[in-house]
Amino acid sequence: MAANYNEKLLLNYVPVYVMLPLGVVNVENVFADPETLETHLKRLKEEAGIDGVMVDVWWGIIESKGPKQYDWTAYKTLFQLIARLGLKIQAIMSFHQCGGNVGDVVTIPIPKWVREVGESDPDIYYTNRRGTRDIEYLSLGVDNLPLFAGRTPVQMYSDYMSSFKENMLELLEAGAIVDIEVGLGPAGELRYPAYPQSQGWVFPGIGEFQCYDKYSKSEFKEAAAKAGHPEWDLPDNAGEYNDKAEETGFFKTNGTYVSEEGKFFLTWYSNKLIFHGDQIIGEANKIFAGLKVNLAAKVSGIHWLYNHHSHAAELTAGYYNLYERDGYRPIARMLSKHYGTLNFTCLEMKDTDNTAEALSAPQELVQMVLSKAWKEGIEVAGENALETYGTKGYNQILLNARPNGVNHNGKPKLRMYGFTYLRLSDTVFQENNFELFKKFVRKMHADQDYSGDAEKYGHEIVPLKTPNSHLTVEDIADAAQPSGAFKWDTETDMKVDG
């Protein structure tokens, strides 16, 4: 009887992964300190019962020597070590620069030979209205232009993923690599670099639109002319990084954002981002189809100004999300075409974490985004946005992992697919921190022992299927209709301090 009850409880299990340090393979492509990592991972596995790790696989390291000159040696050694310890791997295809975002402690630029193209043609980078370039990721305006030794960015990303597959096939077939998260923008997120700290942005600034490179500009003019409005232009009244929304012509009450011209721009800007994701995830799907692996994409948790009528910070990042327009379900619809998982962030945050002027609402945002993904029939995974070692953050993550709590009779209606903890560091192992972390993992596992068999908790990975239909503009418009969120309990029934 007890065994049967435990089997039912196990269907509430949410696996926990830990993000490895950013420079675990350093910028010289050396796996520098395997001994310390092994010691840490053994403790996390044996004492805390974690399920696996997530690791950035940096384009800027692997293909640094020149076009198609890939060197996977260090990563192979790293992955073999992880697999030998019985941990699963979530691999991020990191096509962005490390450095310039929250928590970036090392600098890993995109490949030098790619940046050299930018020296003579800086429009390959995302650009704000003043003409400042953001060099952490190539602009989606050049996605299909063969500017890089005859290849387009989409081809470069595709070739890289193909090489990853060839070199890691043994680990993929053995089931050691369970997730391929495809980097689609700065910080690996599907977004525009609207709030770069390297350019002086500070929280909770509105950010800036990033489509003023010559390629994006001419695409917009073409689209406007096609729509019968050749006079429409990219916004020139949306302010600067740290302005307040109400002080700008674009985001103020009854500002440009609600005009026909504003709506046309925002639709164009957000659709470009979604189709960018669709194309690159589509390449990943072709490459990994037939293998037992999940595809995922990460969406940024832009919780500030969520309670401003304009949602300015979301709009500048490319999420066209308003009270009467859904900015996240269209992304989930795109991912559903490729059988992809939506990975979201800021799961540890509460509305009270920030000052009133930030107009921040992470709880509502998380509920909204997770609900939309579930309504589209896809899985949702997530992570914390900032370092988390305390009871409050852990309990909030537990609530989001199972919004209506544990179901003692089987699989809960709402359950996240997995959680990735940011990030492995010495601080995690400080005595009180580690005790609490162990409790957190236990509660994520629904008070059950570690299970190495994903099938037991309803997560059997099936061979990746190819899309049966392609994303259309109509799909996006349909998914953008507002549809409400599921109801969350007020607190988790699995508190770490309960």
Side-chain angles (χ1 to χ4, degrees):
M1 198 67 187
N4 191 16
Y5 177 63
N6 284 347
E7 277 169 24
K8 286 177 179 173
L9 270 186
L10 203 52
L11 291 169
N12 294 271
Y13 186 107
V14 176
V16 176
Y17 296 81
V18 172
M19 179 80 91
L20 294 191
L22 283 165
V24 63
V25 172
N26 66 25
V27 76
E28 307 298 328
N29 204 357
V30 174
F31 177 22
D33 191 1
E35 293 79 15
T36 303
L37 184 70
E38 181 162 358
T39 304
H40 281 168
L41 291 182
K42 273 185 173 159
R43 283 198 73 188
L44 286 169
K45 173 92 165 56
E46 290 161 15
E47 296 176 43
I50 69 161
D51 298 87
V53 298
M54 182 180 262
V55 59
D56 283 285
V57 184
W58 297 101
W59 181 34
I61 291 177
I62 298 294
E63 203 179 351
S64 63
K65 299 277 190 284
K68 295 193 183 179
Q69 293 179 41
Y70 308 105
D71 181 358
W72 297 100
T73 322
Y75 271 98
K76 260 192 168 159
T77 309
L78 168 64
F79 282 11
Q80 283 159 351
L81 165 66
I82 297 165
R84 179 164 56 76
L85 296 175
L87 291 164
K88 303 289 187 209
I89 299 163
Q90 299 175 314
I92 312 172
M93 304 290 104
S94 296
F95 298 118
H96 59 286
Q97 162 186 297
C98 179
N101 284 297
V102 179
D104 284 349
V105 287
V106 298
T107 301
I108 301 164
I110 62 175
K112 186 168 180 286
W113 54 272
V114 174
R115 284 179 286 135
E116 280 166 358
V117 176
E119 284 164 22
S120 56
D121 183 3
D123 287 281
I124 65 171
Y125 297 121
Y126 285 121
T127 306
N128 70 0
R129 197 171 67 82
R130 288 190 309 281
T132 311
R133 316 290 183 178
D134 185 289
I135 60 166
E136 55 187 314
Y137 184 82
L138 295 173
S139 162
L140 57 73
V142 297
D143 270 353
N144 296 297
L145 299 176
L147 303 171
F148 304 90
R151 288 189 298 165
T152 70
V154 172
Q155 286 168 334
M156 293 194 291
Y157 305 147
S158 181
D159 290 342
Y160 179 87
M161 292 189 284
S162 293
S163 179
F164 175 86
K165 178 185 137 177
E166 283 163 31
N167 284 273
M168 303 294 178
L169 197 56
E170 212 173 292
L171 290 157
L172 282 159
E173 288 177 336
I177 299 172
V178 289
D179 283 332
I180 304 289
E181 185 178 296
V182 184
L184 299 167
E189 296 168 334
L190 177 65
R191 64 172 172 88
Y192 292 92
Y195 46 97
Q197 290 182 317
S198 57
Q199 291 181 35
W201 174 86
V202 289
F203 180 85
I206 57 175
E208 291 186 35
F209 294 117
Q210 301 284 338
C211 53
Y212 297 84
D213 61 272
K214 68 183 183 192
Y215 300 107
S216 299
K217 216 183 254 181
S218 79
E219 265 188 58
F220 177 77
K221 287 307 285 182
E222 203 179 303
K226 212 169 166 181
H229 286 282
E231 75 284 3
W232 284 352
D233 226 323
L234 293 173
D236 61 0
N237 62 346
E240 296 185 355
Y241 289 121
N242 299 313
D243 287 347
K244 290 198 162 40
E246 284 302 333
E247 292 165 3
T248 72
F250 196 89
F251 299 114
K252 68 180 184 186
T253 306
N254 296 322
T256 309
Y257 85 96
V258 294
S259 70
E260 284 314 302
E261 183 175 353
K263 287 176 181 170
F264 178 83
F265 164 72
L266 290 167
T267 303
W268 172 84
Y269 187 71
S270 58
N271 282 7
K272 289 294 298 175
L273 186 67
I274 294 170
F275 280 112
H276 162 78
D278 181 55
Q279 191 180 2
I280 296 163
I281 294 259
E283 290 297 316
N285 183 295
K286 281 182 224 161
I287 292 160
F288 295 103
L291 288 167
K292 288 186 178 179
V293 70
N294 292 315
L295 287 184
K298 189 171 163 190
V299 172
S300 179
I302 301 180
H303 53 88
W304 59 103
L305 303 180
Y306 188 84
N307 280 339
H308 188 270
H309 58 81
S310 73
H311 290 247
E314 289 165 272
L315 297 190
T316 55
Y319 304 143
Y320 189 3
N321 186 57
L322 297 169
Y323 180 67
E324 70 286 355
R325 190 193 190 278
D326 193 325
Y328 299 102
R329 194 163 178 172
I331 296 171
R333 175 80 50 98
M334 177 272 284
L335 285 168
S336 75
K337 301 276 184 190
H338 304 288
Y339 305 96
T341 299
L342 190 149
N343 188 14
F344 199 56
T345 175
C346 74
L347 294 184
E348 83 283 15
M349 288 187 179
K350 290 183 79 88
D351 292 355
T352 49
D353 289 354
N354 293 294
T355 58
E357 64 146 6
L359 297 172
S360 162
Q363 289 170 255
E364 287 74 10
L365 175 65
V366 167
Q367 290 173 24
M368 187 60 76
V369 176
L370 270 54
S371 295
K372 297 317 162 68
W374 283 326
K375 286 181 178 191
E376 285 296 318
I378 66 171
E379 297 285 3
V380 185
E383 50 197 51
N384 48 309
L386 304 172
E387 287 182 19
T388 302
Y389 306 106
T391 302
K392 191 175 78 163
Y394 285 146
N395 285 341
Q396 189 59 29
I397 294 164
L398 282 156
L399 173 61
N400 288 323
R402 289 179 295 259
N404 306 137
V406 164
N407 178 3
H408 293 268
N409 296 309
K411 194 178 171 210
K413 181 179 160 229
L414 304 176
R415 172 181 66 152
M416 288 186 60
Y417 193 75
F419 174 77
T420 301
Y421 177 81
L422 244 65
R423 123 184 358 259
L424 176 56
S425 69
D426 291 337
T427 317
V428 176
F429 294 106
Q430 286 170 9
E431 197 175 340
N432 294 350
N433 288 353
F434 197 47
E435 284 312 304
L436 201 59
F437 179 75
K438 289 194 284 194
K439 277 185 190 154
F440 166 68
V441 175
R442 177 86 189 173
K443 296 297 180 188
M444 289 293 278
H445 289 168
D447 266 337
Q448 300 301 294
D449 293 337
Y450 161 80
S451 171
D453 182 358
E455 207 177 328
K456 284 191 175 149
Y457 51 88
H459 274 193
E460 187 192 1
I461 302 178
V462 296
L464 182 64
K465 294 186 286 212
T466 50
N468 51 14
S469 69
H470 290 288
L471 187 74
T472 63
V473 175
E474 291 73 29
D475 279 324
I476 295 176
D478 177 61
Q481 302 302 314
S483 61
F486 291 121
K487 218 169 157 27
W488 255 237
D489 293 350
T490 50
E491 50 181 42
T492 178
D493 58 348
M494 278 270 166
K495 290 183 168 179
V496 289
D497 53 346

